[in-house]
Amino acid sequence: MKNKWLVIAALSGFFCIAFGAFAAHELEKSLTAKALAWIDTGLKYQFFHTVALMVLAVLQLHLKAETDRVINGIGLTWSFGILLFSGSLYALALGAAKSVAWLTPIGGTLFLMGWAMLAYRSYKNKS
């Protein structure tokens, strides 16, 4: 895989558009306003971090840093943040057990960790 973060960003972006359209046209008929708000919040955070992953992929290519552990760590934390934060909100909206809610703050923490790692990597950048 040439640039895994670009592939993940592309798949995540595809999902955002497909699930967002499905929610707007089909789920709107059967879900509560609260459930739709959870989906909306999940989609916003997922799309924002999808764009961030695309920028990370370009940064990695620009720096020729395919093996940079910090950049790869950022990509991992954001990717798992999307899965846990947005995924738990989607699951809750679609009727999953309320115990799934404990995944949401873990995903949010992963988002924060990724941003902190980006700040660290930017500060330590020699070029």
Side-chain angles (χ1 to χ4, degrees):
M1 186 179 319
K2 200 70 161 167
N3 192 314
K4 60 184 165 274
W5 306 124
L6 192 56
V7 171
I8 291 170
L11 293 173
S12 181
F14 180 91
F15 178 85
C16 284
I17 300 303
F19 189 62
F22 180 68
H25 297 290
E26 294 300 320
L27 295 178
E28 183 178 63
K29 301 170 190 171
S30 60
L31 295 180
T32 66
K34 185 176 184 176
L36 290 170
W38 284 338
I39 289 173
D40 185 56
T41 299
L43 285 170
K44 285 178 184 172
Y45 276 78
Q46 181 175 357
F47 193 72
F48 184 80
H49 286 89
T50 295
V51 172
L53 281 169
M54 287 176 28
V55 172
L56 187 69
V58 171
L59 177 66
Q60 190 176 43
L61 287 172
H62 174 72
L63 296 175
K64 296 178 178 64
E66 293 81 15
T67 59
D68 187 309
R69 289 176 37 192
V70 177
I71 289 178
N72 287 319
I74 296 165
L76 278 172
T77 58
W78 285 344
S79 297
F80 282 108
I82 288 170
L83 286 174
L84 295 179
F85 183 88
S86 297
S88 65
L89 291 175
Y90 303 149
L92 287 168
L94 297 174
K98 298 295 181 207
S99 60
V100 170
W102 68 270
L103 296 172
T104 310
I106 295 172
T109 301
L110 289 170
F111 287 151
L112 292 171
M113 288 172 57
W115 289 106
M117 291 168 70
L118 180 60
Y120 169 80
R121 178 62 173 84
S122 299
Y123 179 76
K124 290 292 187 178
N125 189 24
K126 305 223 183 330
S127 58

